[in-house]
Amino acid sequence: NHLEIYKNLLENLLTAFESKDFSPLNVYSAAYDFFLALSENCRSEQENFPSTSLIKSSLKYLEDCSAGAKSIKEIASECNVSLSYYERLFRDYAGISPIDYRNIYRINRIKMYLQRPDITLDEIAEKIGYCDSGYLCRFFRLKTGMTPNEYRKLYISQIK
């Protein structure tokens, strides 16, 4: 029973605070045990939530960087749910919208490619599924506040 576990862990935390041999390390340890149990139980409940498998199966569509990548509406349809329901389930699962997830994924892919000086912006745009490097540059700057070339130069300067 989760309630009994939390009660015992909370009592341990209070005891650590009130102990005659007060030690910050004992308080930290008791607090860590409490939050670890809480975190593990929340994660377990989330994994057992019926919609979790639906969201996990849809991630491959969101991570598709090809030019023919499915829209969020098409992904929802593929999962046999409405767009608004899919977006709500996704937000509950990931804490962000499917669009934000796709954008973050693409930005991270672009950054990975920019770390290789032998790949041009046009090649990166093609790999990400964008029509041209101009769109890639505008998207990257909007999301990161810097141009791809600025990011590449910054990355190269940090590894030297």
Side-chain angles (χ1 to χ4, degrees), residues 19-75:
S19 172
K20 292 178 190 174
D21 303 323
F22 177 81
S23 163
L25 187 57
N26 289 342
V27 172
Y28 172 79
S29 178
Y32 178 82
D33 291 343
F34 177 78
F35 287 112
L36 179 65
L38 184 62
S39 172
E40 286 174 352
N41 287 335
C42 288
R43 190 176 307 116
S44 172
E45 288 175 13
Q46 183 181 27
E47 291 298 320
N48 294 325
F49 196 62
S51 62
T52 299
S53 62
L54 179 140
I55 297 301
K56 282 185 173 182
S57 69
S58 74
L59 290 178
K60 66 180 177 275
Y61 298 119
L62 289 171
E63 294 171 357
D64 181 3
C65 288
S66 69
K70 295 178 187 266
S71 70
I72 305 303
K73 186 175 183 177
E74 290 170 324
I75 295 171

Side-chain angles (χ1 to χ4, degrees), residues 22 40 66 78 86 91 100 103 113 126 128:
F22 177 81
E40 286 174 352
S66 69
E78 189 84 20
Y86 176 76
R91 187 174 294 278
D100 288 341
N103 288 340
Y113 289 126
E126 185 180 326
I128 297 297

Side-chain angles (χ1 to χ4, degrees), residues 113-143:
Y113 289 126
L114 288 170
Q115 293 171 9
R116 295 181 44 201
D118 60 315
I119 298 180
T120 68
L121 291 179
D122 286 328
E123 290 170 326
I124 296 172
E126 185 180 326
K127 290 177 182 291
I128 297 297
Y130 293 150
C131 56
D132 61 41
S133 60
Y135 182 79
L136 178 135
C137 291
R138 287 189 299 277
F139 174 76
F140 192 85
R141 184 175 192 131
L142 177 70
K143 298 298 180 188

